[in-house]
Amino acid sequence: MALRVLFALLPVLSCGFLGWATMLRLAVVTRKPRDWWLLGLNCALSVGWIALIGADPTPETDGWQGNTGAFGVIITGFVTCVYFLVADIQHHAGRTAAQAAAWYPAQPAPYVPQQPQRPAYGYPPVQQQTPTPTPAPAPGPANPPRIGQVRAELDELSELLRKQTPHPQNPNPNPNPGTGPNPNVPGNDAEGQAR
């Protein structure tokens, strides 16, 4: 943004003499042949206007050549400024729209019924399955790429957690851990003490 302002003001603040620098930046950024041609035209006009000012025979440079050259340099600077702003804003708006459209989901292909095929000679006819059209997903707000990535990672994590084996149960069936064997149950080592 700051560079856009600087290059837009450059031809105005230099009275049109540095309009070529603004057009050079625009041609390098957009890489369009039209902007390269306009850069060449801007340079030729600047040289022509300065030559016209220099060709003025009056000592004060206030003849028609000097006035026409000065007017031409200033007008060329203003036109360069306006064209730079319009072309640069359009270039960056188009680039931003292309980046934003990259993460929108693709539109489903339209349903095209298949043509029936005739069986080949000597072969039984193939059973035709009638394709069921899948309903198109309802267009809704698309999520940016980062949200989709996080969603995919969470799905992977939940799948891993589902696949894990459950923790083994307590191997000691005694409901009161730490109390040891029950002396009142027959078949225990402490059987004789209960009697």
Side-chain angles (χ1 to χ4, degrees), residues 52-103:
L52 195 58
I53 293 172
D56 190 0
T58 61
E60 302 278 328
T61 318
D62 59 355
W64 71 269
Q65 294 99 339
N67 291 340
T68 305
F71 183 73
V73 167
I74 291 172
I75 292 299
T76 303
F78 280 115
V79 169
T80 300
C81 174
V82 169
Y83 178 75
F84 170 77
L85 284 174
V86 169
D88 194 49
I89 289 171
Q90 284 179 350
H91 172 71
H92 289 293
R95 216 174 73 193
T96 304
Q99 288 174 350
W103 54 268

Side-chain angles (χ1 to χ4, degrees), residues 1-169:
M1 185 66 159
L3 282 176
R4 182 182 294 163
V5 172
L6 174 74
F7 280 103
L9 291 178
L10 190 62
V12 174
L13 295 178
S14 68
C15 294
F17 289 107
L18 293 178
W20 63 269
T22 300
M23 290 304 295
L24 177 65
R25 179 183 191 277
L26 183 65
V28 167
V29 168
T30 62
R31 297 179 183 168
K32 292 182 180 176
R34 178 188 63 203
D35 293 332
W36 288 103
W37 283 104
L38 289 175
L39 167 65
L41 178 66
N42 192 305
C43 290
L45 282 174
S46 295
V47 169
W49 297 132
I50 293 170
L52 195 58
I53 293 172
D56 190 0
T58 61
E60 302 278 328
T61 318
D62 59 355
W64 71 269
Q65 294 99 339
N67 291 340
T68 305
F71 183 73
V73 167
I74 291 172
I75 292 299
T76 303
F78 280 115
V79 169
T80 300
C81 174
V82 169
Y83 178 75
F84 170 77
L85 284 174
V86 169
D88 194 49
I89 289 171
Q90 284 179 350
H91 172 71
H92 289 293
R95 216 174 73 193
T96 304
Q99 288 174 350
W103 54 268
Y104 280 105
Q107 296 296 327
Y111 174 73
V112 178
Q114 294 181 352
Q115 297 294 328
Q117 296 178 353
R118 287 186 259 172
Y121 180 74
Y123 290 99
V126 178
Q127 291 288 341
Q128 295 289 329
Q129 293 180 350
T130 57
T132 57
T134 56
N143 296 327
R146 178 71 181 139
I147 291 177
Q149 180 184 0
V150 170
R151 184 173 290 149
E153 289 173 359
L154 285 174
D155 288 344
E156 279 183 38
L157 247 143
S158 62
E159 187 66 31
L160 283 173
L161 288 174
R162 277 189 221 112
K163 286 182 180 179
Q164 276 186 349
T165 57
H167 296 296
Q169 296 295 329

